[in-house]
Amino acid sequence: MTAVDDHASDVQQQGDGVLADLFFTPEGIADPAPLYHRLRELAPVHRSGTGTIFLTRFDDCNEVLRDNRFGNGDSNEGLGLPSADPATDEFRRDQRRRMADRPQSLLFLDPPDHTRQRRLVSRAFTPRRVEKMRGTIAALARRYVDDLAEAGEGDLLDLVGFPFPVSVIGALVGVPEADWPRFRSLITRGAVGIEPTASIEELRDGEQANTETWEYFVDLVAERRARPQDDLLSDLIRVEEEGDQLSEAEVIVVAILIFAAGFETTTNLIGNGTAALLRNPTEMARLWSDETLLPTAVEEMLRWDSPVQFDVRRALQPAEVAGEPVGEGTAVVTLLGAANRDPSHFSDPDRFDVGRDEGPPLSFAAGIHYCLGANLARAEGQEVFRAMRDRFRTIELAGALVQRPRTTLRGYEAVPVRVTPR
Ligand code: HEM
């Protein structure tokens, strides 16, 4: 072994140590940013001992997400995290086999299947539909923020962060209001599948939750087919392009994806954003005194503490990133949370600045899988913080902030607050 090889293997070990801290320790869960910086400084294109590549620079992540040589491929291969339990990878493979009769959702498709499904879905889920909802979004935000104002104290997630996005997405998709409460647990449990550190018990529980959700939507789609209404579900059933339509099973999968993607992430935008304001009182005062800062403040919340911390792609053919060769089949993890703190893209990246205007963060990803609900999520973020500004003279923390032990979807278990209404 040469001195150069020695150095490379030393860097690889150190990098893998940082990743193990990031994914598997309470410190990594509490505040990943210092570890992102360490990894970026050590090896911005880090090839771990398992062969998986981890990216921490904005430009590299952005490039891979927009490059169609990277995609989902055969996602059965597992993420290849250092010190992950191989038995869970095997369990995931079995799980996929059990669910082989359900079509894949957009998130896990590659072109041309992705192109076809996304085109059909986009015909139903149009920017106009979101724009038409702006008034409803604002009214719903005020309703839940009023609940918190009346309570004076409580968990912001219970009172606003969860019920608000679920009511928006429920109204949009056409899920009856009486059924919304049960989905908080079903969707959160089901989403565990995208967490690389989930245990077999959690994966099993997630599968059960997903089956329950699936059965619910089978019935709801049948009901809408019989009696269409003015909602997204009825449009997804109807939508057609050049003689092509979504199949029954595709309608179900898409409706579940939109419903699920539409609230856990937004709940976390509201929770993480409020926590960021509470930790940065000067920035909160700035926003409270200037309503025009709402759009940049929401972008900054998304950047500073991104609800989705990373995406995974696989090289569908030999490719390269930042000049480094990437063999076919290699998994590439774009650490969106790290890209959003890259000092070569954002000035003084660890500073939370509600007026920052340096372009959008990578929180909604980029390229063909760019978040379909980004406009809706932004509108919800702006309306809920507008309602809080209008209604609360002050907000303060009324207890400890408890981070959920998750690495992909980042958020809190609870955000206990005390508010003084205006
Ligand atoms: C703050 C809130 C949100 C965040 C941070 C977020 C983030 C993301 C990210 C990072 C992706 C790309 C995943 C990948 O590349 O593998 C994505 C995709 C997606 N999001 Fe969102 N999302 C949010 C809200 C929403 C909402 C409100 C909806 C629906 C109404 C939604 C629907 C979707 C869908 C359908 C996709 C899949 C698109 C595709 O694969 O072509 N999201 N989202």
Side-chain angles (χ1 to χ4, degrees), residues 65 72 105-108 114 118 121 125 169 172 254 257-259 261-263 265-266 269 302 306-308 311-313 336 362-366 368-374 376-378 380:
L65 291 168
N72 285 292
S105 78
L106 277 176
L107 268 180
F108 302 107
H114 176 271
R118 179 137 177 162
V121 175
F125 189 23
I169 202 74
L172 176 88
V254 166
L257 172 67
I258 290 180
F259 188 61
F263 71 83
T265 45
T266 314
L269 161 62
L302 287 162
S306 184
V308 180
D311 267 353
V312 185
R313 295 290 186 269
L336 307 177
L362 271 188
S363 313
F364 293 119
I368 62 168
H369 292 280
Y370 179 75
C371 177
L372 200 62
L376 180 64
R378 288 187 165 113
E380 288 182 65

